[in-house]
Amino acid sequence: MKEYIYSRNAVHEALRAKRRQIFSIEIAEGAQEKGTLAEIVKLAGQQKVKVNRVPRGKLDKVHQNHQGVIAEVSSYPYSDLVDILDGIKDEPPFILILDSLQDPQNFGTLIRTAEAVGVHGIIIPLARSVEVTPSAVNASSGASEHMLIAKSNLSQAMDALRDADVWLVGLDQAGAEVEANSRHLKGALGLVVGSEGEGLHDLTRKKCDIVLKLPMKGSIESLNAAVAGSVALYLAYLNRK
């Protein structure tokens, strides 16, 4: 299947990652081809991808936030948990598990943070969950193109991670307050983030070795899933260092 991804960072990272087939790139007529857009044209030439200059209105029909460029590409290349674990070299696994997240913007934010802190792979459910759509690719600023993301039965995936000696830490407001220098965020780690509103499902919570929450000092009760997950990922990154 083919789809259109849009925005300069998304198209640029797809070209850099070389994980998808890129059939063509369309650039808005009159767009200044400098910076990232110039790099897109350069990489497309190196990879023999056809670049067309088209009226801006044609790109508007794909998405209003195209930033002057879209690319027709093959569907996102999902991985599996075995590929993720087999690809880890010389360091303990660092896995992000998303329990039925729904919002592409939240998903993209978490992908971007995960890629930035060195997460080896992301696990999402087989159904009733956000997927790697063009909106999520754009929200991740193209980080999705470098991240291994697997669809899996979460219960089975968490069992497999535990068999691989990965410590499973759930993130939920009902958990114990996490400390800055937490032993639970070191070593082989699977961080489990719940969905917007509902948090962790009961079965997912039971599969976790421990459930933690971020300390809160202000008046609001909680952070949204993307913010909380990003903060926890950085805490884990600092503790793992």
Side-chain angles (χ1 to χ4, degrees):
M1 293 181 62
K2 297 180 181 179
E3 63 186 22
Y4 286 103
I5 58 174
Y6 57 90
S7 80
R8 298 185 181 198
N9 284 339
V11 174
H12 183 230
E13 297 308 325
L15 284 163
R16 288 185 62 223
K18 299 181 181 179
R19 294 177 61 209
R20 302 200 203 211
Q21 184 175 357
I22 301 177
F23 301 103
S24 65
I25 293 172
E26 297 187 340
I27 294 175
E29 292 175 344
Q32 292 188 337
E33 296 181 16
K34 59 183 182 180
T36 303
L37 197 55
E39 186 66 18
I40 287 171
V41 174
K42 176 183 175 182
L43 290 173
Q46 291 172 352
Q47 297 175 30
K48 296 181 171 55
V49 176
K50 186 176 182 180
V51 177
N52 302 311
R53 276 74 177 180
V54 301
R56 185 170 290 270
K58 184 176 181 182
L59 306 190
D60 290 340
K61 293 178 181 179
V62 174
H63 201 279
Q64 291 297 314
N65 296 327
H66 53 71
Q67 297 178 338
V69 62
I70 63 173
E72 187 179 26
V73 298
S74 58
S75 56
Y76 183 78
Y78 287 99
S79 301
D80 59 41
L81 181 56
V82 173
D83 290 335
I84 292 171
L85 293 176
D86 284 350
I88 300 171
K89 308 296 182 185
D90 303 323
E91 60 181 338
F94 190 9
I95 310 295
L96 176 62
I97 303 160
L98 302 178
D99 185 10
S100 302
L101 203 70
Q102 298 296 318
D103 188 296
Q105 184 69 43
N106 286 339
F107 188 28
T109 298
L110 284 167
I111 295 171
R112 188 175 184 178
T113 305
E115 205 282 328
V117 300
V119 165
H120 298 113
I122 299 175
I123 312 297
I124 62 174
L126 291 168
R128 295 184 295 279
S129 170
V130 69
E131 298 184 357
V132 188
T133 62
S135 293
V137 175
N138 179 57
S140 77
S141 288
S144 57
E145 305 309 292
H146 302 280
M147 177 59 63
L148 298 182
I149 301 175
K151 292 181 180 179
S152 179
N153 177 295
L154 285 195
S155 178
Q156 294 176 3
M158 292 173 76
D159 286 342
L161 287 170
R162 183 176 287 108
D163 289 343
D165 295 323
V166 174
W167 185 248
L168 299 174
V169 177
L171 188 64
D172 192 269
Q173 280 303 106
E177 193 167 287
V178 65
E179 298 176 355
N181 187 26
S182 175
R183 63 183 177 86
H184 299 297
L185 298 179
K186 297 179 179 179
L189 173 66
L191 181 67
V192 190
V193 177
S195 63
E196 304 91 345
E198 295 183 21
L200 298 175
H201 289 114
D202 288 341
L203 179 58
T204 305
R205 184 191 305 275
K206 290 175 182 176
K207 292 282 184 179
C208 293
D209 293 301
I210 191 169
V211 177
L212 302 175
K213 69 177 180 181
L214 297 174
M216 304 282 291
K217 186 177 181 180
S219 300
I220 62 170
E221 294 182 357
S222 64
L223 301 169
N224 86 347
V227 174
S230 294
V231 172
L233 284 168
Y234 262 99
L235 282 173
Y237 168 67
L238 293 172
N239 276 278
R240 285 165 56 87
K241 287 181 70 176

